[in-house]
Each structure stands twice: as C-alpha cells, then as structure tokens.
Amino acid sequence: MSQSTTDHLTDNSTGMSYLDSLPRRIVTVFLPLLIFVFVLLFPFYWMAITAVKPNFQLTDYNNYSPLWVVQPTLDHIKYLLFETSYPAWLWNTIFISVAATFISLVTSVFAAYAIERLRFHGSRWVGLGIFLAYLVPPSILFIPLAIMVFGIGIYDTKLALILTYPTFLVPFSTWLLMGYFRSIPFELEECALVDGASRWQILIKVLLPLSVPGLISAGIFSFTLSWNEFIYALTFIQSSENKTVPVGVLTELVRSDVYEWGSLMAGALIGSLPVVILYSFFVDYYVSSMTGAVKE
C-alpha cells in the first residue's frame, strides 16, 4: 500500500475518532436520528389514532389525552369503506396513476434517448428546455389545459387526468433518464452498431436493461406525483364516482364547517399506504438512480 493511501486511511480514521465517545455519538448521531424519525412517523401515528377514536374523544381533551386512544372503534373506517365512494376513489387513483406513469415513462425514454445518444444539434438546449418546463407550476398550466379538456370533450372522465398528468411527469422523468443514459458508455452502443444493430434494438436490448434502476426511480417518482396530485383532479373531475382519493376525501368528507375527522384521517392513512409500500420495495433502486442522475 502506498504512503498516500496509508495517510488517507489514517486521516479518515482520525476524523471519525470523535464518535468513540458515547456522549458525542448521542449528540451527533442518535439525537438527530431520533428527531428525524419522530418528525417522519408522528403524522402516521396521529392519523392512526384519530382514525380509531370515538367522536367524543376527538374534542374532549379535558378527560381524554389526544396522544392515545381509550376506547378504539372501527366506526370511522366502516363509514369510509361502506358508506362513501372511497373504494371507487382508490381504484380511480390507482388506475389513473398507473396509466399516466406508463405514458410518461415511454415518452421520457424516447426523449432522453434522443437528446443524450443521437447527439443532434441543439440537443442540450432541448434538454434544458424540458427541465425548465418542469418548473412551471400547475396552477398556471391548468387554465390552458382546462380549455383543451373542454374542447376535446373529456371533462369529468379519467382520460382527462391520464392525458394531463404527463405534462408535469415527463419533464422530470426525462431529465432523470438523461442523466442515467449519459452514464452508460458510448462504446457499448458503438459496438452494437458495428454488429449491425438498429437504433431500436440498441435502445431495447442494450440501454434499457442497463437503465432498470433509473426506470424504476422515474416510475416511482411519476406514480407518487400522480397519486398525490390535487389541482388537476379538482378542476377536471366533478362526479363523485370519478374522483381520486385526495379530492374525494377533501370534498366529500368535509361538509361546510363539519369535518369528519375520523374518516378523514382513515382515508389519508389508507391512501398513503400504497406509496409507502412501493418505496419500501424499491428504495435501493431509487437512491442509486437519483445519485447517478445528480452525478451527471
């Protein structure tokens, strides 16, 4: 081992020596981690206990603590699942999110491949323009999109959301995949061209198999944004049976100044579970692909 390598390892070990002391580990590691976990998990805990609290405990803080449940009940969950259209909202959200994510991924793959691998004149400016389009807030876009939705005749249909969601999904997904495609050596593509492969074969058989983490990351990102989207769903959907979970929970469970807090929290908790499960399965791919995109 060279002297420089030895010195580098010595410097690293010396730099981490301050963690040998338990009080320092508590202050610099465990305490920040505890605060982070508390901030992350407390909203889920609050939703869970509110969802199973009887109504009289939700406001009677003199006799009941707000931080735990004395007599849990499933009445709010039963009301949500069997007396509202929540199952239909959940299905609508899943269907719209999956469809919009699929359309966005296909579009982003072609756009990212064309910008990064075909090397046409002005490709960098096109990539920058696509990313800048992501920065345009939906509150500005929904007005011209509403005119188009009404003009096409798809207002109050799932198709209205499936076709409008890619307007904010494609730009970021394209930028993410551009960074991932850029990290794949051009020599692989050149070897495939020498062997007689077409551009389509290179994309399908060479680039996409190597870009699975990036595709998973873009898919998770698109699915999450579609799942939580509110403005377009509120603007383009009117009938209760076509609403998504974010809009349905807010508009159907809040009547004037009456808030169905138990059902609201139950709906929010159940609605967050699919995204949590999705992230738990693919978190390694998501982190690796985001790291690769940022590096590039």
Side-chain angles (χ1 to χ4, degrees), residues 82-130:
F82 300 107
E83 299 185 33
T84 68
S85 300
Y86 188 84
W89 304 337
L90 193 61
W91 164 249
N92 292 340
T93 308
I94 294 174
F95 177 76
I96 292 170
S97 299
V98 171
T101 298
F102 177 78
I103 294 174
S104 301
L105 274 183
V106 172
T107 306
S108 300
V109 165
F110 289 139
Y113 178 76
I115 293 171
E116 286 299 329
R117 313 301 287 199
L118 297 185
R119 302 175 180 175
F120 60 89
H121 182 68
S123 60
R124 290 297 176 189
W125 290 104
V126 173
L128 179 61
I130 290 177

Side-chain angles (χ1 to χ4, degrees), residues 105-120 123 130 173-182 184 186 189-190 192-193 197-208 211:
L105 274 183
V106 172
T107 306
S108 300
V109 165
F110 289 139
Y113 178 76
I115 293 171
E116 286 299 329
R117 313 301 287 199
L118 297 185
R119 302 175 180 175
F120 60 89
S123 60
I130 290 177
S173 298
T174 302
W175 175 79
L176 184 65
L177 291 176
M178 282 170 55
Y180 212 86
F181 285 169
R182 198 180 306 133
I184 299 175
F186 277 95
E189 189 171 347
E190 292 170 353
L193 289 172
S198 63
R199 288 289 184 179
W200 175 257
Q201 290 173 325
I202 292 173
L203 176 62
I204 299 299
K205 297 182 179 180
V206 178
L207 286 184
L208 291 186
S211 305

Side-chain angles (χ1 to χ4, degrees), residues 214-257:
L215 294 173
I216 291 177
S217 178
I220 292 176
F221 178 83
S222 299
F223 183 85
T224 304
L225 283 186
S226 300
W227 189 275
N228 296 325
E229 202 284 325
F230 181 79
I231 294 180
Y232 292 171
L234 179 65
T235 305
F236 303 145
I237 300 296
Q238 182 178 12
S239 57
S240 178
E241 61 273 12
N242 288 330
K243 291 181 178 179
T244 58
V245 169
V247 175
V249 167
L250 182 63
T251 58
E252 301 290 333
L253 298 180
V254 178
R255 302 176 181 88
S256 185
D257 59 344

